[in-house]
């Protein structure tokens, strides 16, 4: 859906306070652009920052992608999705040094991938709309295409990934993040996984001092 890019600014400010330039990106919602358009939008945002980073006191050579919920799905996918289509800056690549996935809706393979979504997988569900208003219960190929872990192999060129999820997430099943982490490790990719005990879908727990310390360490590692 259309994002509220201002809602998470207090949390983003805590990350910026660690010494990073944080650019909040709005990609097209599924009501106007279906998969993979949001992913291509994220890649174009990376290219834009590489071109204009110095204007924001940023380093174009040291970029990561991060996102929460549907943005987590977009960030992970955009870090390895083939470039070329809809490229607004043909001479600039969208490669990043790392990815941070906060409680991302990375998979729809489980029957309860989104436990509190009554119309889960149906044509008018968020995931059904993302794939072109298709009933995903009747289309396993599109269901797999949308699920990040189903599109990662040993040959996938993906940067290190940090996954952070709450153990009591009622919006996005934590098992989806677990399956993504296990697939990354199985394929020999760098991945770290932080489970926050008792945390739901977002909240202050995700920018607590302890989590910010882990986040800062990960960013410093991938940007070194």
């Amino acid at each position: 859906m259309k994002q509220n890019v201002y809602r998470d600014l207090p949390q983003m400010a805590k990350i910026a306070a660690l010494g990073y330039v944080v650019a909040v990106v709005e990609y097209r919602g599924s009501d106007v652009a279906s998969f993979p358009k949001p992913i291509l939008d994220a890649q174009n945002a990376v290219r834009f920052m590489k071109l204009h980073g110095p204007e924001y006191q940023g380093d174009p050579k040291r970029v990561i992608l991060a996102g929460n919920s549907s943005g987590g799905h977009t960030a992970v996918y955009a870090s390895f999705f083939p470039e070329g289509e809809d490229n607004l800056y043909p001479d600039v690549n969208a490669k990043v040094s790392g990815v941070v996935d906060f409680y991302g809706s990375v998979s729809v393979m489980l029957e309860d991938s989104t436990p509190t979504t009554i119309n889960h997988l149906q044509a008018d569900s968020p995931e059904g709309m993302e794939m072109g208003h298709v009933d995903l219960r009747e289309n396993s190929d599109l269901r797999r295409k949308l699920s990040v872990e189903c599109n990662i192999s040993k040959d996938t060129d993906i940067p290190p990934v940090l996954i952070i999820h709450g153990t009591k997430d009622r919006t996005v099943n934590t098992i989806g993040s677990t399956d993504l982490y296990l697939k990354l490790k199985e394929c020999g990719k760098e991945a770290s996984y932080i489970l926050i005990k008792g945390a739901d879908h977002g909240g202050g727990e995700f920018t607590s001092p302890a989590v910010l310390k882990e986040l800062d360490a990960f960013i410093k590692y991938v940007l070194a």
Side-chain angles (χ1 to χ4, degrees):
M1 305 298 181
K2 180 176 175 60
Q3 303 105 61
N4 179 347
V5 296
Y6 301 102
R7 181 185 59 193
D8 295 329
L9 285 183
Q11 287 73 32
M12 297 301 101
K14 290 183 179 180
I15 297 174
L18 297 175
Y20 304 108
V21 175
V22 179
V24 183
V25 176
E26 181 178 7
Y27 48 81
R28 287 171 286 180
S30 58
D31 55 333
V32 296
S34 58
F35 181 92
K37 300 297 184 182
I39 294 165
L40 304 179
D41 289 348
Q43 289 183 334
N44 276 322
V46 169
R47 298 182 187 106
F48 176 90
M49 289 305 296
K50 286 187 175 184
L51 280 172
H52 298 279
E55 299 171 27
Y56 302 97
Q57 289 76 54
D59 184 348
K61 296 180 180 178
R62 303 168 77 222
V63 182
I64 71 164
L65 267 173
N68 60 16
S69 197
S70 64
H73 174 274
T74 303
V76 179
Y77 229 136
S79 72
F80 70 88
F81 197 79
E83 298 189 46
E85 187 179 350
D86 283 4
N87 188 341
L88 299 180
Y89 312 98
D91 296 328
V92 184
N93 69 61
K95 290 187 179 298
V96 295
S97 299
V99 184
V100 182
D101 165 22
F102 290 95
Y103 46 93
S105 182
V106 293
S107 177
V108 293
M109 296 307 294
L110 300 172
E111 292 305 318
D112 60 344
S113 294
T114 51
T116 53
T117 301
I118 297 174
N119 60 344
H120 177 48
L121 295 176
Q122 297 177 37
D124 59 346
S125 69
E127 55 271 26
M129 292 173 63
E130 177 72 359
M131 300 310 286
H133 297 265
V134 173
D135 190 331
L136 296 179
R137 296 172 301 178
E138 301 172 356
N139 196 315
S140 59
D141 288 343
L142 287 182
R143 194 168 170 179
R144 290 180 60 82
K145 187 175 182 179
L146 183 60
S147 300
V148 179
E149 81 278 10
C150 295
N151 295 275
I152 293 174
S153 69
K154 292 182 179 180
D155 296 328
T156 303
D157 183 13
I158 186 171
V161 179
L162 171 62
I163 302 168
I164 308 175
H165 212 132
T167 61
K168 292 190 177 181
D169 193 323
R170 293 168 291 182
T171 304
V172 174
N173 196 324
T174 309
I175 296 175
S177 286
T178 302
D179 287 343
L180 173 59
Y181 171 74
L182 292 175
K183 184 60 177 292
L184 287 166
K185 300 299 285 187
E186 176 189 325
C187 293
K189 310 304 177 184
E190 284 194 72
S192 304
Y193 190 18
I194 298 173
L195 278 172
I196 303 179
K197 186 176 181 180
D200 199 351
H201 197 66
E205 298 95 332
F206 290 90
T207 49
S208 69
V211 173
L212 286 176
K213 182 178 180 181
E214 295 280 356
L215 177 64
D216 190 33
F218 174 79
I219 296 174
K220 281 184 168 62
Y221 166 70
V222 298
L223 296 183

